[in-house]
Amino acid sequence: MIPQRGARPFALSGRVKAGAVLLLLYTLYAGAQLDFSWNRFETGLGHASTFLARMFPPNFEKPATLWKGIAESLEIAVLASVLGIACALPVGLLGARNLMPAWVSWPARALVALCRALHPVIVAILFVKAVGFGALAGILALTVASIGFIGKLFTEAIEEISLKQVEAVRATGASFGNVLAFGVLPQVFARFIGFATYQFDSNLRNSTMVGIVGAGGVGGTLFSAFQRFDYDFVSAILLTLIAIIMLGEILAGFVRAVFLDNLGFDRILQGRFAGARGLGSAPTSNTGLNTRGATAATRKAEADE
């Protein structure tokens, strides 16, 4: 089809231009209302340079205090992830509108929305008031956050499956449990592995935040170091957290290779070493394709939060 004379291809409509102008005007208005100024920004850069200079070199001379907080954060993240995922699976299944009637799916979806309504730090404050200071409050807070996150994504993943496979299994006379095991789970398993590994990574990071309000973990140690102006020890804590998150990414890659590619530990290492020597790449399969939807879904959920 030949475009009309005078028409510009890919031109923005008037509504899009008006929306962009309104967004720009509101951004400027919000910056003025929030007392944002370039002078404050320049002053902040000077303070930041002084702060960073006091953070280096890191001080690792308190290993007992550091590793005690790190170990507690790891314990909180693992327990909260296990409990949250175990609770989110049935809730996510009950919330799927293509498998459950409305009187079952809507209460389950309301529970997921309730778990997502508040930030984990606010939930941690509530649990600190309820059960007292310590790791228990952090575990409960992150369990609630895990139910909200995994439940929402698992529900959406089930609602996107093909019902032809479900009907084929159901036509054999299989029970409802077998329908779920052989008709639903194979279609969402790859995405669920991506959700679970991401949630553990998120809980490990959030275990630091909830510790600041007294819910256990290394967050309390970090907050105390800030109060003492012990910035070199703050740097040591932050660098340790970054290293643990990177190790978590490597562990997540091993988990995907084991569960999705059915690879053994020896084959995974052989592929990594071969890729490092430039002799080839790690064993490839459809893992990237299977987890692409999980990655997109997790990014969407992050944007919603």
Side-chain angles (χ1 to χ4, degrees):
M1 181 177 178
I2 301 176
Q4 298 179 359
R5 185 181 300 274
R8 293 190 305 168
F10 309 110
L12 298 178
S13 64
R15 293 181 179 179
V16 174
K17 293 179 180 178
V21 172
L22 290 176
L23 178 60
L24 177 61
L25 292 176
Y26 182 77
T27 302
L28 296 176
Y29 169 77
Q33 293 296 315
L34 297 177
D35 195 21
F36 176 81
S37 64
W38 186 254
N39 291 331
R40 290 190 61 187
F41 183 73
E42 290 182 343
T43 304
L45 290 179
H47 293 166
S49 62
T50 303
F51 173 67
L52 292 175
R54 295 182 61 182
M55 290 180 64
F56 293 95
N59 179 13
F60 290 94
E61 296 179 358
K62 304 175 184 178
T65 303
L66 174 61
W67 290 112
K68 179 180 179 181
I70 293 294
E72 191 172 41
S73 290
L74 286 172
E75 293 165 357
I76 292 174
V78 171
L79 290 175
S81 299
V82 172
L83 294 176
I85 292 172
C87 296
L89 285 177
V91 173
L93 178 63
L94 294 176
R97 289 171 292 191
N98 58 342
L99 296 179
M100 298 294 172
W103 62 271
V104 174
S105 62
W106 281 109
R109 298 175 76 90
L111 176 60
V112 170
L114 179 63
C115 293
R116 288 171 49 84
L118 299 176
H119 193 274
V121 173
I122 300 177
V123 180
I125 294 174
L126 298 178
F127 278 115
V128 166
K129 293 296 182 181
V131 302
F133 294 95
L136 179 59
I139 294 172
L140 295 176
L142 296 184
T143 299
V144 171
S146 300
I147 294 174
F149 184 83
I150 298 294
K152 176 181 174 60
L153 296 183
F154 195 57
T155 297
E156 293 179 352
I158 294 176
E159 290 181 344
E160 294 173 0
I161 65 173
S162 173
L163 293 179
K164 293 181 179 180
Q165 184 173 340
V166 177
E167 293 298 333
V169 177
R170 189 176 294 164
T172 63
S175 63
F176 181 71
N178 287 331
V179 170
L180 296 179
F182 298 102
V184 177
L185 185 60
Q187 300 188 62
V188 299
F189 183 71
R191 299 184 67 180
F192 174 71
I193 293 297
F195 300 154
T197 54
Y198 177 83
Q199 185 59 41
F200 172 73
D201 178 73
S202 177
N203 284 340
L204 186 57
R205 288 182 280 112
N206 288 332
S207 64
T208 303
M209 292 193 302
V210 299
I212 294 176
V213 297
V218 74
T221 307
L222 182 63
F223 185 65
S224 299
F226 270 113
Q227 288 184 317
R228 297 192 308 267
F229 303 101
D230 196 0
Y231 295 133
D232 52 354
F233 187 49
V234 169
S235 177
I237 296 174
L238 296 180
L239 291 176
T240 305
L241 289 175
I242 293 172
I244 292 176
I245 294 298
M246 290 183 176
L247 289 176
E249 288 292 329
I250 297 175
L251 178 62
F254 278 101
V255 170
R256 294 189 187 97
V258 170
F259 283 98
L260 303 182
D261 297 337
N262 295 322
L263 297 179
F265 187 74
D266 53 344
R267 290 192 59 191
I268 297 174
L269 291 180
Q270 289 176 2
R272 297 295 172 88
F273 289 148
R277 292 194 303 266
L279 300 178
S281 58
T284 58
S285 69
N286 60 348
T287 304
L289 296 177
N290 290 335
T291 56
R292 187 177 300 167
T295 303
T298 51
R299 290 176 179 172
K300 178 179 178 295
E302 280 188 312
D304 293 340
E305 294 179 351

